[in-house]
Amino acid sequence: MPSALITDLLDVLDKLSGGAHAGFRPAHAKGFLYSGTFAPAPEAAKLTRAPHANRPSTPITVRFSLSGGIPTLADNDPKGSSPQGFAVRFHLADHVHTDIIAHSHNGFPARTGEEFLEFLRAVAASGPDAPTPPPVAQFLATHPLTRKFVEAPKPIPSSFARQAFFAVTAFKFTNADGVSRFGRFRLVPDAGTEFLSAEQAATKTTDFLVAELSERLTKGAVTFRVVVQLAQDGDEVTDATAVWPESREQVPFGTLTITERVDELDPEMRKVIFDPIPRVDGIDSAGDPLTDVRSDIYLLSGRRRRAAAAK
């Protein structure tokens, strides 16, 4: 049975989206699936003994998404579309996989599930009839890192292929010699980043990001470099709000090559539940409490989607 924390988080996410949307995720509801391959960099095997770091290539399924929990959200919605999400599934064998789940902002608004729940409840209680100052303003006044996340610019990209993504939590990477390092995944577009002004975004269609990516794929594959930003002594590895300095070493991990669209409405694809816990030998949670919380809520919401699909 899921804990009260997980069910409470799901409930407030539903509330923020105007109620539950049967068959869809409570956040990042609008998403698009693609397939391709992953090829590791030589440095990957030095970092981890995980299978996909030690074989020539691995099939992948990836999902680009908008942040909001409304399936019909417009790609150019200035409030609900950012940060965009990017999930990657590495298919290691039949029914064996490991995932990377990232979004387009370096950092997260809360350190723990309990703090995240408090923040979301404050947002939900800050509607037009809220007192002055509204609950969310009171929360942000006492949580400076959450305020920093909320106030940070999150521009809409010109393409999913021109957005950088950051895994939310850190992992412990262990190689064949038993040497471990802590790090965070980053997904860096080979095409470079490019963002729209508010005026440019307003002229776009509601589904322009998926349309643009479909058009781009007719001309060739879309590629992302996977890198691991390594922690140094003293860096906080169990706090997703702690952003490490850009001066930290970034180790090449490999290349994602995205080649074609996958039908996300296919019944089997609707069942996919990405997992923030790696669940593969050689890559483990660094101990951030959010890793387990996110995994539990992904599982609960995934089971809810599967139940809706079965009706």
Side-chain angles (χ1 to χ4, degrees):
M1 291 292 290
S3 68
L5 171 63
I6 302 306
T7 56
D8 287 349
L9 279 166
L10 188 59
D11 286 345
V12 73
L13 286 169
D14 287 341
K15 183 176 181 180
L16 288 168
S17 301
H21 298 271
F24 292 91
R25 292 164 172 80
H28 294 276
K30 184 179 180 180
F32 311 98
L33 290 170
Y34 302 84
S35 63
T37 58
F38 168 75
E43 294 87 347
K46 300 175 184 178
L47 185 64
T48 175
R49 58 179 178 252
H52 55 308
N54 292 275
R55 58 177 60 161
S57 67
T58 299
I60 58 171
T61 300
V62 307
R63 184 177 190 263
F64 292 103
S65 61
L66 309 184
S67 66
I70 300 173
T72 56
L73 192 68
D75 292 0
N76 60 345
D77 185 309
K79 294 182 178 180
S81 65
S82 294
Q84 290 78 37
F86 188 12
V88 184
R89 169 151 295 179
F90 301 87
H91 299 280
L92 305 176
D94 288 344
H95 307 295
V96 180
H97 53 78
T98 188
D99 302 335
I100 297 175
I101 302 174
H103 67 188
S104 59
H105 183 80
N106 189 11
F108 198 72
R111 295 176 296 107
T112 65
E114 289 80 5
E115 186 175 77
F116 192 40
L117 176 62
E118 185 182 357
F119 168 57
L120 293 179
R121 282 177 167 169
V123 173
S126 299
D129 299 326
T132 302
V136 68
Q138 298 177 52
F139 182 91
L140 295 178
T142 57
H143 294 78
L145 292 179
T146 310
R147 181 170 183 168
K148 183 178 180 180
F149 176 94
V150 170
E151 294 180 348
K154 303 176 186 67
I156 296 171
S158 63
S159 169
F160 281 128
R162 304 205 64 180
Q163 176 67 285
F165 298 87
F166 306 83
V168 173
T169 57
F171 299 108
K172 183 174 75 171
F173 298 85
T174 305
N175 65 20
D177 295 325
V179 177
S180 296
R181 296 288 304 271
F182 291 99
R184 288 177 175 147
F185 282 114
R186 291 184 173 191
L187 309 170
V188 183
D190 278 332
T193 58
E194 183 179 70
F195 302 100
L196 304 175
S197 67
E199 294 75 19
Q200 290 171 324
T203 67
K204 297 294 185 179
T205 62
T206 58
D207 297 309
F208 86 93
L209 284 172
V210 65
E212 192 281 340
L213 192 54
S214 293
E215 173 65 20
R216 184 180 290 262
L217 286 171
T218 66
K219 302 173 184 176
V222 167
T223 55
F224 281 79
R225 289 179 291 112
V226 185
V227 300
V228 177
Q229 184 191 34
L230 294 178
Q232 290 187 1
D233 291 344
D235 287 339
E236 179 57 69
V237 301
T238 61
D239 182 353
T241 68
V243 177
W244 304 336
E246 284 299 307
S247 59
R248 298 294 181 259
E249 181 183 3
Q250 296 186 31
V251 176
F253 193 80
T255 300
L256 303 172
T257 300
I258 302 166
T259 55
E260 61 183 336
R261 177 86 177 266
V262 175
D263 183 6
E264 58 270 0
L265 297 180
D266 179 276
E268 289 304 310
M269 292 296 100
R270 293 289 290 272
K271 293 179 182 178
V272 171
I273 303 173
F274 289 99
D275 191 349
I277 298 176
R279 304 190 194 279
V280 65
D281 183 41
I283 306 177
D284 298 285
S285 168
D288 190 320
L290 274 177
T291 305
D292 285 333
V293 169
R294 292 171 64 232
S295 181
D296 287 346
I297 197 167
Y298 280 39
L299 180 59
L300 179 60
S301 65
R303 287 174 173 170
R304 189 172 72 172
R305 292 200 315 276
R306 290 179 176 182
K311 291 181 180 179

